[in-house]
Amino acid sequence: MRPRFRITVCGLHELAAHAEASVSHVLSILDPDWPAPTAFGSYGEHARLELRFHDIIDETPGMLPPTREHVRQLLAFGRALPAEADTHLLVHCHAGVSRSSASMALLLAQAMPECPGPDVFREILRIRPEIWPNLRIIELGDHALRRGGALITSAHDIYRLQISRRPELVEQFRAGGRAREVDAAIRVRA
């Protein structure tokens, strides 16, 4: 099952490569103090929502986590997307792995409410194999979309998949304050 619009997920370093891709809508997710990307100047006319928060999943002193308001804004942006073949949505964050994949999952789940969580993430994996969706965004969005935990469970499955491909991610994500995500993958496995 695929959405009625084209989707791209990428990181900051890839933005210039998409200038000729007829992107009509951009969800730009940046750290609060990061400068706005200059690459969008070559994109032509497009609608853009810029959200600013850190890639964290729990409250951390001195950092801004994703909030219900951020999720509300991104879902409102998604509701305004035309469901047409020439609509091309690009979602980016710094690396194109965590905040962007979680946000794209919410946008797809909203656009295709009948689509089960695993299928939502399968579609994102198809275009961006290295995803590791930010659990806080998924938790907030699952609640907002009334998915009853289905998106959260599907995110846990993605963590398990990624750990099976790259076991070194366990220590990397634990060290980066993302132990809840790793623990969720391990619990699912047990």
Side-chain angles (χ1 to χ4, degrees):
M1 188 174 300
R2 297 218 174 131
R4 289 186 211 137
F5 49 85
R6 288 177 47 208
I7 61 174
T8 299
V9 177
C10 72
L12 281 172
H13 67 285
E14 300 164 278
L15 287 175
H18 295 287
E20 303 297 321
S22 300
V23 172
S24 60
H25 295 76
V26 174
L27 174 57
S28 185
I29 305 170
L30 300 164
D31 287 351
D33 56 350
W34 198 267
T38 58
F40 295 129
S42 61
Y43 269 50
E45 192 173 328
H46 64 278
R48 183 169 67 238
L49 173 64
E50 184 177 289
L51 298 176
R52 290 185 173 267
F53 51 84
H54 291 104
D55 190 16
I56 58 176
I57 61 169
D58 294 310
E59 298 290 332
T60 304
M63 300 188 88
L64 178 63
T67 65
R68 283 186 179 89
E69 178 57 21
H70 293 126
V71 169
R72 186 199 67 72
Q73 289 177 42
L74 81 87
L75 291 175
F77 184 71
R79 279 190 299 277
L81 281 173
E84 299 169 2
D86 64 343
T87 299
H88 183 180
L89 170 64
L90 180 143
V91 177
H92 84 86
C93 59
H94 286 259
V97 172
S98 181
R99 292 173 285 185
S100 56
S101 66
S103 298
M104 184 61 80
L106 299 186
L107 293 171
L108 290 178
Q110 176 179 252
M112 302 181 304
E114 71 291 344
C115 187
D119 291 349
V120 166
F121 283 101
R122 238 185 312 281
E123 177 62 12
I124 300 167
L125 274 169
R126 183 184 67 76
I127 63 165
R128 192 74 174 175
E130 64 269 33
I131 67 169
W132 183 282
N134 178 294
L135 184 57
R136 185 179 180 113
I137 295 171
I138 297 298
E139 290 168 339
L140 293 168
D142 185 274
H143 177 74
L145 294 170
R146 297 187 169 112
R147 285 292 190 120
L151 295 175
I152 297 167
T153 299
S154 295
H156 295 171
D157 293 341
I158 295 298
Y159 307 144
R160 188 173 74 248
L161 171 70
Q162 299 298 31
I163 289 169
S164 74
R165 292 176 175 171
R166 296 184 51 211
E168 71 276 11
L169 292 176
V170 170
E171 288 312 311
Q172 186 179 339
F173 277 95
R174 282 189 194 283
R178 310 280 288 267
R180 270 196 320 119
E181 294 167 336
V182 172
D183 292 344
I186 292 169
R187 265 194 316 275
V188 170
R189 211 188 298 171

